[in-house]
Structures are given as structure tokens and as C-alpha cells.
């Protein structure tokens, strides 16, 4: 077997053998202006990080105490009541940030609504109720 300067190895059959880096990507971090809320009825807790961008607002969500299965959306709401879906996802059983699956859901998306025009962000069940509303 021959070692190449790149760290790759060539075996007797001349097939390159490549080292695979199996490190997990770093977790998403909440950045920008942070706002949090917990809904007293559902118990769902959320924190959003908002960053103003030329194209609108970058939104990072940290969500916990949400039980699955459920299909959810994060909805940005402007000061005039305009609603824009930022992102959608599936919550599998048992859920996120709950016994049996303590890890929070952390996801990032964006909205065309400028940061200065945002009033709140809602985590909604698709075609259902609001799980938590976070004033911003």
C-alpha cells in the first residue's frame, strides 16, 4: 500500500482508498435579537433569533416541549397582520424537548418581511391551532 501526500492510500489493486471524515456538523446557534415565549395552554416553549438581512429577516427557532406526531409551520406576522410561512417540518413521536427525546428542535429559515416590520412569530400546527406565539 502506498500513502499519498493527500493522506489517501493506493492499494495493490491501484484503487484509491480515501479517509472519510465522519464529524458531525456543528449545531445551529441562535444569533441576533433573541425573543422567547412559553404558551401556558400547550406548554410549548420557543426562542427565536432574528437577524436583519437585505432580503428580509433570517429566523432561527429553538423549540421544545412539543409532542408529535404533528406537521408544523413557523409563521412570521408583520405589524399589519400579513402572514408568511418561514418554514415547515414534521414532529415525529414522541416529540422534541420532551421525555423520551430531550433534544430541542433547532432550525433556520427566512422571511421577506423586514425585521423592523415583524410583530411576532407563531408556531402553528398545519390547519390547526397555534402552539406558541413569540412577540418580537
Amino acid at each position: 500500500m502506498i500513502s499519498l501526500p493527500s493522506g489517501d492510500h493506493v492499494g495493490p489493486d491501484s484503487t484509491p482508498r480515501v479517509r472519510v471524515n465522519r464529524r458531525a456538523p456543528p449545531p445551529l446557534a441562535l444569533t441576533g435579537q433573541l425573543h422567547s415565549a412559553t404558551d401556558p395552554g400547550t406548554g410549548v416553549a420557543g426562542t427565536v433569533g432574528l437577524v436583519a438581512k437585505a432580503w428580509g429577516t433570517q429566523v432561527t427557532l429553538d423549540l421544545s416541549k412539543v409532542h408529535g406526531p404533528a406537521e408544523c409551520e413557523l409563521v412570521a406576522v408583520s405589524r399589519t397582520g400579513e402572514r408568511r410561512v418561514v418554514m415547515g417540518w414534521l414532529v415525529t413521536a414522541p416529540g422534541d424537548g420532551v421525555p423520551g427525546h430531550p433534544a430541542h428542535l433547532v432550525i433556520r429559515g427566512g422571511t421577506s418581511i423586514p425585521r423592523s416590520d415583524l410583530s411576532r412569530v407563531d408556531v402553528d400546527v398545519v390547519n390547526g391551532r397555534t402552539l406558541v406565539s413569540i412577540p418580537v
Side-chain angles (χ1 to χ4, degrees):
M1 182 177 299
I2 300 170
S3 294
L4 303 175
S6 67
D8 296 338
H9 303 284
V10 178
D13 62 355
S14 297
T15 303
R17 301 200 179 150
V18 180
R19 290 180 296 147
V20 177
N21 183 351
R22 297 192 189 274
R23 290 186 206 152
L28 282 177
L30 291 174
T31 57
Q33 297 175 342
L34 301 182
H35 303 272
S36 298
T38 299
D39 186 279
T42 65
V44 173
T47 298
V48 291
L50 304 175
V51 178
K53 299 288 188 179
W55 46 262
T57 306
Q58 175 184 289
V59 182
T60 306
L61 172 68
D62 180 311
L63 190 67
S64 64
K65 301 180 184 169
V66 60
H67 294 273
E71 183 178 0
C72 295
E73 294 177 330
L74 182 66
V75 180
V77 183
S78 76
R79 296 187 190 286
T80 62
E82 176 186 5
R83 297 174 59 84
R84 296 283 175 101
V85 174
V86 175
M87 57 190 134
W89 65 95
L90 294 173
V91 178
T92 58
D96 294 304
V98 297
H101 189 263
H104 292 199
L105 173 72
V106 182
I107 53 178
R108 179 172 291 152
T111 178
S112 60
I113 300 173
R115 169 64 195 99
S116 59
D117 291 344
L118 280 176
S119 172
R120 69 179 194 272
V121 292
D122 295 339
V123 176
D124 295 339
V125 173
V126 173
N127 299 319
R129 65 185 174 152
T130 297
L131 297 176
V132 65
S133 185
I134 306 169
V136 298

